[in-house]
Amino acid sequence: MTIDYLETGRIIDSLTAGETDEVALMATVVCELHHADDRFDWTGFYRVTATSVLKIGPYQGGHGCLVIPFSKGVCGAAARTGEVQLVDDVDAFPGHIACSSSTRSEIVLPVHAGDGRLIGVLDIDSDQPSAFTRADAEGLSAILRSVFGRL
Ligand code: SME
């Protein structure tokens, strides 16, 4: 199954209409994303909980590491730079943090509130190499803007 970002975005918008609690929004987003595409083997948020510190938020899949400083990992790179990280081969990414030995590729997107504040990152891991494309980055970014831009 391959995700239809427009349809999944419509479902998420409907499910979260009027909601502004970050955890409730994150839990709903990861649930709908994770089950929408066979490439998504781990889907989760890391939240900014202190200066330059990410802590795990709602996720689907095997256990994820609890704390990631902005200086480490693919998630830290997304938080530090504010740029989407598209990683075709996690073994080639300096400082990649392997929460699962089966992960081959990864996409991590910064998550901003409507006032521009960084509230966390969305991390999706795949056991397939080169699983993600710019189209995924654009589709996921549109969903994140719609859901968290209201905060
Ligand atoms: N791979 C991420 C860490 C999170 S686990 O994959 C859930 C990273 O390198 O930041």
Side-chain angles (χ1 to χ4, degrees), residues 42 46 56 62-65 68 72-77 90 93 95-100 103 106 108 123 125:
W42 193 95
Y46 281 86
I56 200 160
H63 67 269
C65 57
I68 300 177
K72 294 188 183 304
V74 186
C75 292
V90 295
F93 189 94
H96 169 256
I97 300 168
C99 293
S100 168
T103 300
E106 186 166 0
V108 183
D123 178 15
D125 297 340

Side-chain angles (χ1 to χ4, degrees), residues 27-47:
T28 305
V29 168
V30 293
C31 176
E32 292 304 314
L33 289 178
H34 190 69
H35 297 290
D37 197 301
D38 297 335
R39 295 172 295 163
F40 301 174
D41 293 300
W42 193 95
T43 310
F45 284 94
Y46 281 86
R47 299 162 299 122

